[in-house]
Amino acid sequence: MGIRKPLVIACMALAPLAHAQNSENWKGEAELGFLLTSGNTEETKVDGRLGLQYETQTWRNTGDFSSRYTETEDQTTAEEYKAALEADYKFDDKQYWFVRGSYEKDRFSGYDFESTLTTGYGNRVWQVGDRSFLDLSVGGGYRYNKLQQEDPDGRDVEEEAIARLAGQFDYSLSDSALFRQKLSTEIGLDDNNAISQSETSVQSNIVGSLSMKAAFRVKHVTDAPAGSDKTDTETSLSLLYGF
């Protein structure tokens, strides 16, 4: 079984880490999960993720890049790449205006790619200490998705105005453990197709900046492309390096 391809995918996702450490305004986290089984079933699974944040007094810029690859019995069973960039203009310590762009390419989703551009208002409605808070945001924008096959109406593109609702809840369980819940939904204003995503995770510090993270992710598409499931789930265990 060849594992070169998934390892390359992970390394590409983590490559900018060294550059980010050179500035005091940068912070972020790099995540890597790897599973290799042999015997009756041969499987290789690699998850890579890089999250970066650059913050000044009035601006907060974030980027999130991830990849997922699974190979079973020499057959690719999952291959996914995601990127999201967001710029927040801060009115004060709690309120901000955001502009966000996202791109996703999942080989087995029925889409050739999915992309959105949104803007709107966000507010940190609750905070205790540095690690426990609740952020909520609401906005609107545009969705452009390319289908792998034409739909019954002969279209291979989904494009429409959307409304976006999102939230992130972080709660410090202890000095070394953190619970995190992320939720978002983007609702089409023409065809009413809603794409919702959730990530529930717990991370615990091992030593220094290294942590263990367990996560459960769900993606639901109300009007999924023909031949694709409406709901995808993923459970992962990975190492997380914060900087």
Side-chain angles (χ1 to χ4, degrees):
M1 177 188 304
I3 62 173
R4 182 176 300 175
K5 183 176 181 179
L7 287 177
V8 168
I9 294 169
C11 290
M12 289 177 63
L14 305 182
L17 174 60
H19 299 283
Q21 291 178 303
N22 294 330
S23 172
E24 294 181 355
N25 292 330
W26 284 100
K27 68 177 182 178
E29 54 189 23
E31 185 177 340
L32 179 63
F34 182 80
L35 173 67
L36 176 64
T37 64
S38 62
N40 293 324
T41 301
E42 295 186 350
E43 182 178 19
T44 301
K45 179 179 180 181
V46 177
D47 292 326
R49 176 181 164 271
L50 177 67
L52 294 173
Q53 183 179 105
Y54 183 82
E55 188 163 6
T56 64
Q57 184 175 357
T58 55
W59 287 95
R60 177 173 55 243
N61 302 311
T62 57
D64 197 270
F65 312 90
S66 64
S67 66
R68 178 168 63 100
Y69 181 89
T70 303
E71 182 181 285
T72 304
E73 303 293 345
D74 293 328
Q75 297 292 323
T76 302
T77 56
E79 187 174 358
E80 177 185 271
Y81 310 93
K82 291 182 179 181
L85 298 173
E86 181 171 321
D88 301 335
Y89 177 78
K90 298 184 289 184
F91 299 118
D92 52 38
D93 291 339
K94 294 184 177 181
Q95 302 180 84
Y96 59 92
W97 190 267
F98 73 86
V99 177
R100 182 181 187 274
S102 69
Y103 177 88
E104 179 176 341
K105 186 175 181 65
D106 185 344
R107 179 174 168 183
F108 299 95
S109 67
Y111 290 105
D112 185 34
F113 66 83
E114 302 170 65
S115 63
T116 64
L117 179 64
T118 54
T119 185
Y121 170 80
N123 195 321
R124 179 156 294 185
V125 297
W126 173 81
Q127 182 167 8
V128 175
D130 294 329
R131 300 204 308 157
S132 298
F133 60 85
L134 173 62
D135 281 351
L136 299 176
S137 63
V138 59
Y142 185 76
R143 168 193 294 158
Y144 185 93
N145 296 342
K146 182 73 163 56
L147 296 165
Q148 292 177 348
Q149 298 179 353
E150 293 184 349
D151 63 17
D153 296 326
R155 300 179 305 172
D156 64 354
V157 169
E158 294 179 353
E159 51 181 331
E160 61 182 329
I162 59 173
R164 174 179 170 84
L165 302 172
Q168 178 174 329
F169 174 66
D170 280 20
Y171 186 76
S172 178
L173 301 173
S174 68
D175 291 339
S176 60
L178 179 71
F179 170 84
R180 175 170 291 168
Q181 176 66 60
K182 295 181 179 180
L183 289 169
S184 69
T185 185
E186 294 174 339
I187 305 167
L189 301 182
D190 295 330
D191 297 333
N192 296 318
N193 186 21
I195 299 178
S196 303
Q197 301 193 58
S198 167
E199 178 182 286
T200 305
S201 65
V202 177
Q203 62 189 62
S204 179
N205 180 258
I206 300 175
V207 60
S209 299
L210 191 64
S211 301
M212 182 70 74
K213 176 181 175 181
F216 179 69
R217 302 177 183 89
V218 180
K219 180 179 179 181
H220 180 76
V221 182
T222 59
D223 188 12
S228 302
D229 293 333
K230 291 185 176 183
T231 303
D232 285 331
T233 63
E234 178 192 5
T235 302
S236 66
L237 187 64
S238 57
L239 289 175
L240 184 70
Y241 177 74
F243 54 92

